[in-house]
Each structure stands twice: as structure tokens, then as C-alpha cells.
Amino acid sequence: MSTFAQSLDLLWQLRSHDEPIVAAQKEIARAKAEVDRAKVKLAAAQKESANAQAAIDKLRSAERDDEAELKRLEQRIAQLEAQSGTSTSEAQIKNVTAALAKERGHLDEIETRGLERLEQIEVAMKGMAELKKKQAAILEELAGLEKQSDAIIATQQAIVDQHTLARVPIAALVEEGLREQYEVANRQNPGSAICLVKPGECLGCAGELTQQHVSEVRARNKVVRCPFCRRIHDLRA
């Protein structure tokens, strides 16, 4: 067997380590993605709660403003009532009576508005309570996912480390130029840098191959790459 053919055989050994490395990396990425999705979900819930709290604060602020205005109106009405008792001319009585009607009407409006606002605050508080429950559930879910993710990542990283270490001495035995081409193909096709062919077809991407291409692969004396997926082709006996 030629040295080049032996190196091709070594590439298959490399692939036997690269496949589980890629599979483990995918599991790590999947576990991290699940946690990230839960964090996004939590952030959305927190934003929703913050918006709800801002709405409640706005209602409370308006409530305080109206309470202050009610006190002012009550004082003003008391003053007008006192003036009404001391007014002597018809014009004065008319003016005071009109002012009293206006202020009392304004007071009624504020009191009505205050009752409506109390209902709004009650509804908003119930909504906030539900949002807090929702947020607590998401936090619990996130904590569980993070714990599960940590376990998955630890297990899968151990697999990555094991196979990464095991491939080092094998890679050192491969002809330098071929090793470099393999690593390029492995970056393009993680875990499947080398693949078999059958007459007329790449078994990596199902691309259609010429008879001459397959003959060159069968010779096993040079690097032959798929014109479509760029994997290194081989045809083992």
C-alpha cells in the first residue's frame, strides 16, 4: 500500500474522532440555545411587568394629583359658601352661586374620575399579580434548564476533549499537505471531511460524478475532492 493510500486510511480514523466531536458540539450549542431562549422569554416577561408597573405608577400619580385638586376645590367651595352667606347685592350672590356651581361640578368630575381610576388600578394590580406568577414560572423553568444545560455541556465537552486529544497523534502521521486539505474540508463539512463515492455519485452530497472522477478516486494516489461539496473522496477496497 502506498504512503498516500495509508494517509487516506488515516483520514478515516480522523473522521471517526471528528464525527463525535461535531455531534457533541451540536449538543452543547443546542443546550445553550435552549437556555438563551428561556432568557429571552424571561426578558420579555420582565419588560411586560415593567410596563405594567409603569402604568400603575402613572395611575397612582394621577390619583395623588386629583386628591390634591379635591382638597383645593373643597377649600375653594368652603370659601365661596362663606361668601354666599355674607353677600348683600344680587350681583354678588349671582357671581358666588355661579362660581359654586362651577367648582362643585369640577369636584364631581374629579370624584367620578377617581372612582373610575380605582377600578383601573384594581384591574392593573390583578394583571400585575398574574405577570409576577408568569415571571416566577419562567424563572423556575430557566433555573431547571440551566442546571440541565450545565450537565449536558460538561458531558459533551468531555467527549470533545477526549476525541480532540485522540486525533492528535493520528493527524501527525498524515502527510502534511493532505492533512491541511483535510482540515479545510473538515471546516467546510464538519465531521465528514472525507466520504465514499459510488459509480456516478458522491455519497456525501449526492452530486453526480463522471466516470473519470471515480477512476481517479479509485487509484488512491492523489487528493480528489468533490466538485460540489468539496469533501475528499475515497473508494476503499
mmCIF file of all heavy atoms in Angstrom, residues 137-167:
data_model
loop_
_atom_site.group_PDB
_atom_site.id
_atom_site.type_symbol
_atom_site.label_atom_id
_atom_site.label_comp_id
_atom_site.label_asym_id
_atom_site.label_seq_id
_atom_site.Cartn_x
_atom_site.Cartn_y
_atom_site.Cartn_z
ATOM 1 N N ALA A 137 -42.691 31.541 37.119
ATOM 2 C CA ALA A 137 -42.683 30.248 36.425
ATOM 3 C C ALA A 137 -41.537 30.188 35.414
ATOM 4 O O ALA A 137 -40.866 29.148 35.284
ATOM 5 C CB ALA A 137 -44.020 30.029 35.723
ATOM 6 N N ILE A 138 -41.310 31.292 34.720
ATOM 7 C CA ILE A 138 -40.219 31.334 33.741
ATOM 8 C C ILE A 138 -38.867 31.239 34.445
ATOM 9 O O ILE A 138 -37.957 30.560 33.968
ATOM 10 C CB ILE A 138 -40.303 32.629 32.897
ATOM 11 C CG1 ILE A 138 -41.562 32.619 32.035
ATOM 12 C CG2 ILE A 138 -39.073 32.760 32.000
ATOM 13 C CD1 ILE A 138 -41.823 33.915 31.299
ATOM 14 N N LEU A 139 -38.747 31.911 35.581
ATOM 15 C CA LEU A 139 -37.502 31.836 36.356
ATOM 16 C C LEU A 139 -37.222 30.410 36.811
ATOM 17 O O LEU A 139 -36.082 29.938 36.751
ATOM 18 C CB LEU A 139 -37.592 32.762 37.577
ATOM 19 C CG LEU A 139 -37.242 34.233 37.346
ATOM 20 C CD1 LEU A 139 -37.643 35.063 38.558
ATOM 21 C CD2 LEU A 139 -35.755 34.397 37.054
ATOM 22 N N GLU A 140 -38.275 29.724 37.241
ATOM 23 C CA GLU A 140 -38.130 28.327 37.667
ATOM 24 C C GLU A 140 -37.724 27.452 36.483
ATOM 25 O O GLU A 140 -36.846 26.583 36.604
ATOM 26 C CB GLU A 140 -39.444 27.839 38.273
ATOM 27 C CG GLU A 140 -39.370 26.430 38.840
ATOM 28 C CD GLU A 140 -40.669 25.989 39.498
ATOM 29 O OE1 GLU A 140 -41.600 26.804 39.573
ATOM 30 O OE2 GLU A 140 -40.743 24.818 39.916
ATOM 31 N N GLU A 141 -38.372 27.710 35.342
ATOM 32 C CA GLU A 141 -38.030 26.960 34.133
ATOM 33 C C GLU A 141 -36.581 27.210 33.732
ATOM 34 O O GLU A 141 -35.849 26.279 33.374
ATOM 35 C CB GLU A 141 -38.965 27.377 32.994
ATOM 36 C CG GLU A 141 -38.648 26.694 31.660
ATOM 37 C CD GLU A 141 -39.445 27.278 30.503
ATOM 38 O OE1 GLU A 141 -40.156 28.287 30.702
ATOM 39 O OE2 GLU A 141 -39.349 26.742 29.396
ATOM 40 N N LEU A 142 -36.151 28.463 33.805
ATOM 41 C CA LEU A 142 -34.782 28.820 33.440
ATOM 42 C C LEU A 142 -33.769 28.141 34.355
ATOM 43 O O LEU A 142 -32.745 27.635 33.892
ATOM 44 C CB LEU A 142 -34.610 30.340 33.488
ATOM 45 C CG LEU A 142 -33.197 30.877 33.221
ATOM 46 C CD1 LEU A 142 -32.708 30.433 31.844
ATOM 47 C CD2 LEU A 142 -33.173 32.389 33.332
ATOM 48 N N ALA A 143 -34.062 28.143 35.641
ATOM 49 C CA ALA A 143 -33.153 27.505 36.593
ATOM 50 C C ALA A 143 -32.986 26.018 36.271
ATOM 51 O O ALA A 143 -31.870 25.479 36.310
ATOM 52 C CB ALA A 143 -33.677 27.685 38.015
ATOM 53 N N GLY A 144 -34.110 25.370 35.932
ATOM 54 C CA GLY A 144 -34.047 23.946 35.576
ATOM 55 C C GLY A 144 -33.263 23.719 34.300
ATOM 56 O O GLY A 144 -32.454 22.774 34.206
ATOM 57 N N LEU A 145 -33.486 24.589 33.314
ATOM 58 C CA LEU A 145 -32.773 24.462 32.046
ATOM 59 C C LEU A 145 -31.278 24.700 32.219
ATOM 60 O O LEU A 145 -30.452 24.021 31.597
ATOM 61 C CB LEU A 145 -33.335 25.452 31.029
ATOM 62 C CG LEU A 145 -34.646 25.061 30.351
ATOM 63 C CD1 LEU A 145 -35.163 26.221 29.506
ATOM 64 C CD2 LEU A 145 -34.454 23.825 29.478
ATOM 65 N N GLU A 146 -30.926 25.680 33.051
ATOM 66 C CA GLU A 146 -29.502 25.961 33.276
ATOM 67 C C GLU A 146 -28.810 24.778 33.949
ATOM 68 O O GLU A 146 -27.676 24.428 33.593
ATOM 69 C CB GLU A 146 -29.358 27.230 34.118
ATOM 70 C CG GLU A 146 -29.643 28.503 33.339
ATOM 71 C CD GLU A 146 -29.511 29.752 34.182
ATOM 72 O OE1 GLU A 146 -29.776 29.678 35.399
ATOM 73 O OE2 GLU A 146 -29.156 30.808 33.629
ATOM 74 N N LYS A 147 -29.509 24.175 34.903
ATOM 75 C CA LYS A 147 -28.936 23.001 35.576
ATOM 76 C C LYS A 147 -28.772 21.855 34.592
ATOM 77 O O LYS A 147 -27.716 21.184 34.552
ATOM 78 C CB LYS A 147 -29.850 22.580 36.729
ATOM 79 C CG LYS A 147 -29.304 21.432 37.553
ATOM 80 C CD LYS A 147 -30.223 21.113 38.728
ATOM 81 C CE LYS A 147 -29.685 19.966 39.564
ATOM 82 N NZ LYS A 147 -30.589 19.641 40.706
ATOM 83 N N GLN A 148 -29.804 21.624 33.793
ATOM 84 C CA GLN A 148 -29.748 20.563 32.781
ATOM 85 C C GLN A 148 -28.679 20.867 31.739
ATOM 86 O O GLN A 148 -27.924 19.980 31.331
ATOM 87 C CB GLN A 148 -31.113 20.439 32.110
ATOM 88 C CG GLN A 148 -31.190 19.354 31.048
ATOM 89 C CD GLN A 148 -32.567 19.303 30.395
ATOM 90 O OE1 GLN A 148 -33.527 19.874 30.879
ATOM 91 N NE2 GLN A 148 -32.660 18.621 29.276
ATOM 92 N N SER A 149 -28.613 22.135 31.330
ATOM 93 C CA SER A 149 -27.633 22.543 30.325
ATOM 94 C C SER A 149 -26.208 22.351 30.825
ATOM 95 O O SER A 149 -25.337 21.887 30.094
ATOM 96 C CB SER A 149 -27.857 24.012 29.939
ATOM 97 O OG SER A 149 -26.881 24.453 29.040
ATOM 98 N N ASP A 150 -25.966 22.714 32.074
ATOM 99 C CA ASP A 150 -24.626 22.557 32.646
ATOM 100 C C ASP A 150 -24.183 21.092 32.611
ATOM 101 O O ASP A 150 -23.022 20.787 32.304
ATOM 102 C CB ASP A 150 -24.603 23.071 34.085
ATOM 103 C CG ASP A 150 -24.680 24.586 34.160
ATOM 104 O OD1 ASP A 150 -24.449 25.251 33.132
ATOM 105 O OD2 ASP A 150 -24.990 25.113 35.257
ATOM 106 N N ALA A 151 -25.126 20.193 32.923
ATOM 107 C CA ALA A 151 -24.805 18.762 32.920
ATOM 108 C C ALA A 151 -24.509 18.278 31.502
ATOM 109 O O ALA A 151 -23.544 17.532 31.272
ATOM 110 C CB ALA A 151 -25.959 17.963 33.524
ATOM 111 N N ILE A 152 -25.332 18.717 30.545
ATOM 112 C CA ILE A 152 -25.133 18.321 29.147
ATOM 113 C C ILE A 152 -23.794 18.839 28.628
ATOM 114 O O ILE A 152 -23.020 18.111 27.993
ATOM 115 C CB ILE A 152 -26.283 18.836 28.265
ATOM 116 C CG1 ILE A 152 -27.582 18.103 28.604
ATOM 117 C CG2 ILE A 152 -25.958 18.680 26.783
ATOM 118 C CD1 ILE A 152 -28.809 18.668 27.917
ATOM 119 N N ILE A 153 -23.533 20.104 28.902
ATOM 120 C CA ILE A 153 -22.294 20.724 28.415
ATOM 121 C C ILE A 153 -21.074 20.017 29.002
ATOM 122 O O ILE A 153 -20.094 19.758 28.284
ATOM 123 C CB ILE A 153 -22.277 22.225 28.749
ATOM 124 C CG1 ILE A 153 -23.307 22.955 27.884
ATOM 125 C CG2 ILE A 153 -20.894 22.822 28.525
ATOM 126 C CD1 ILE A 153 -23.517 24.408 28.259
ATOM 127 N N ALA A 154 -21.126 19.712 30.285
ATOM 128 C CA ALA A 154 -19.992 19.026 30.920
ATOM 129 C C ALA A 154 -19.744 17.661 30.274
ATOM 130 O O ALA A 154 -18.599 17.291 29.967
ATOM 131 C CB ALA A 154 -20.249 18.864 32.417
ATOM 132 N N THR A 155 -20.828 16.914 30.055
ATOM 133 C CA THR A 155 -20.701 15.580 29.446
ATOM 134 C C THR A 155 -20.186 15.665 28.015
ATOM 135 O O THR A 155 -19.256 14.943 27.617
ATOM 136 C CB THR A 155 -22.064 14.861 29.455
ATOM 137 O OG1 THR A 155 -22.515 14.711 30.798
ATOM 138 C CG2 THR A 155 -21.960 13.494 28.798
ATOM 139 N N GLN A 156 -20.777 16.563 27.234
ATOM 140 C CA GLN A 156 -20.407 16.672 25.820
ATOM 141 C C GLN A 156 -19.017 17.280 25.647
ATOM 142 O O GLN A 156 -18.292 16.901 24.731
ATOM 143 C CB GLN A 156 -21.451 17.505 25.068
ATOM 144 C CG GLN A 156 -22.844 16.898 25.048
ATOM 145 C CD GLN A 156 -22.862 15.507 24.441
ATOM 146 O OE1 GLN A 156 -22.194 15.244 23.446
ATOM 147 N NE2 GLN A 156 -23.635 14.614 25.042
ATOM 148 N N GLN A 157 -18.649 18.205 26.526
ATOM 149 C CA GLN A 157 -17.309 18.784 26.433
ATOM 150 C C GLN A 157 -16.245 17.739 26.729
ATOM 151 O O GLN A 157 -15.158 17.758 26.144
ATOM 152 C CB GLN A 157 -17.177 19.968 27.398
ATOM 153 C CG GLN A 157 -15.878 20.763 27.234
ATOM 154 C CD GLN A 157 -15.722 21.335 25.838
ATOM 155 O OE1 GLN A 157 -16.619 21.990 25.325
ATOM 156 N NE2 GLN A 157 -14.581 21.086 25.210
ATOM 157 N N ALA A 158 -16.572 16.811 27.643
ATOM 158 C CA ALA A 158 -15.636 15.719 27.940
ATOM 159 C C ALA A 158 -15.419 14.863 26.695
ATOM 160 O O ALA A 158 -14.294 14.405 26.428
ATOM 161 C CB ALA A 158 -16.172 14.868 29.088
ATOM 162 N N ILE A 159 -16.495 14.656 25.928
ATOM 163 C CA ILE A 159 -16.380 13.893 24.675
ATOM 164 C C ILE A 159 -15.510 14.649 23.674
ATOM 165 O O ILE A 159 -14.641 14.061 23.015
ATOM 166 C CB ILE A 159 -17.784 13.631 24.084
ATOM 167 C CG1 ILE A 159 -18.574 12.695 24.997
ATOM 168 C CG2 ILE A 159 -17.682 13.061 22.673
ATOM 169 C CD1 ILE A 159 -20.022 12.518 24.600
ATOM 170 N N VAL A 160 -15.753 15.954 23.563
ATOM 171 C CA VAL A 160 -14.944 16.781 22.657
ATOM 172 C C VAL A 160 -13.474 16.695 23.041
ATOM 173 O O VAL A 160 -12.601 16.479 22.178
ATOM 174 C CB VAL A 160 -15.413 18.250 22.687
ATOM 175 C CG1 VAL A 160 -14.435 19.152 21.934
ATOM 176 C CG2 VAL A 160 -16.802 18.383 22.086
ATOM 177 N N ASP A 161 -13.192 16.865 24.324
ATOM 178 C CA ASP A 161 -11.798 16.847 24.789
ATOM 179 C C ASP A 161 -11.146 15.488 24.535
ATOM 180 O O ASP A 161 -9.975 15.418 24.109
ATOM 181 C CB ASP A 161 -11.746 17.184 26.284
ATOM 182 C CG ASP A 161 -12.194 18.614 26.569
ATOM 183 O OD1 ASP A 161 -12.222 19.425 25.624
ATOM 184 O OD2 ASP A 161 -12.524 18.904 27.733
ATOM 185 N N GLN A 162 -11.902 14.432 24.783
ATOM 186 C CA GLN A 162 -11.368 13.075 24.599
ATOM 187 C C GLN A 162 -10.982 12.831 23.146
ATOM 188 O O GLN A 162 -9.867 12.366 22.854
ATOM 189 C CB GLN A 162 -12.424 12.049 25.041
ATOM 190 C CG GLN A 162 -12.035 10.601 24.751
ATOM 191 C CD GLN A 162 -13.200 9.639 24.953
ATOM 192 O OE1 GLN A 162 -14.219 10.010 25.529
ATOM 193 N NE2 GLN A 162 -13.054 8.420 24.476
ATOM 194 N N HIS A 163 -11.871 13.156 22.230
ATOM 195 C CA HIS A 163 -11.602 12.876 20.824
ATOM 196 C C HIS A 163 -10.613 13.873 20.211
ATOM 197 O O HIS A 163 -9.851 13.516 19.299
ATOM 198 C CB HIS A 163 -12.913 12.870 20.038
ATOM 199 C CG HIS A 163 -13.746 11.661 20.280
ATOM 200 N ND1 HIS A 163 -13.492 10.445 19.683
ATOM 201 C CD2 HIS A 163 -14.832 11.464 21.086
ATOM 202 C CE1 HIS A 163 -14.370 9.552 20.086
ATOM 203 N NE2 HIS A 163 -15.208 10.151 20.939
ATOM 204 N N THR A 164 -10.620 15.100 20.719
ATOM 205 C CA THR A 164 -9.645 16.083 20.245
ATOM 206 C C THR A 164 -8.237 15.621 20.591
ATOM 207 O O THR A 164 -7.310 15.738 19.765
ATOM 208 C CB THR A 164 -9.919 17.464 20.878
ATOM 209 O OG1 THR A 164 -11.214 17.909 20.486
ATOM 210 C CG2 THR A 164 -8.887 18.484 20.422
ATOM 211 N N LEU A 165 -8.075 15.093 21.785
ATOM 212 C CA LEU A 165 -6.763 14.578 22.212
ATOM 213 C C LEU A 165 -6.382 13.328 21.423
ATOM 214 O O LEU A 165 -5.224 13.168 21.005
ATOM 215 C CB LEU A 165 -6.808 14.261 23.711
ATOM 216 C CG LEU A 165 -5.500 13.796 24.356
ATOM 217 C CD1 LEU A 165 -4.450 14.906 24.286
ATOM 218 C CD2 LEU A 165 -5.729 13.404 25.823
ATOM 219 N N ALA A 166 -7.356 12.459 21.177
ATOM 220 C CA ALA A 166 -7.077 11.185 20.497
ATOM 221 C C ALA A 166 -6.690 11.380 19.036
ATOM 222 O O ALA A 166 -5.955 10.558 18.466
ATOM 223 C CB ALA A 166 -8.291 10.271 20.605
ATOM 224 N N ARG A 167 -7.166 12.453 18.409
ATOM 225 C CA ARG A 167 -6.883 12.655 16.979
ATOM 226 C C ARG A 167 -5.500 13.251 16.731
ATOM 227 O O ARG A 167 -4.995 13.201 15.605
ATOM 228 C CB ARG A 167 -7.970 13.531 16.357
ATOM 229 C CG ARG A 167 -7.826 15.011 16.602
ATOM 230 C CD ARG A 167 -9.009 15.817 16.165
ATOM 231 N NE ARG A 167 -9.285 15.801 14.752
ATOM 232 C CZ ARG A 167 -8.656 16.520 13.845
ATOM 233 N NH1 ARG A 167 -7.642 17.306 14.209
ATOM 234 N NH2 ARG A 167 -8.999 16.455 12.568
#
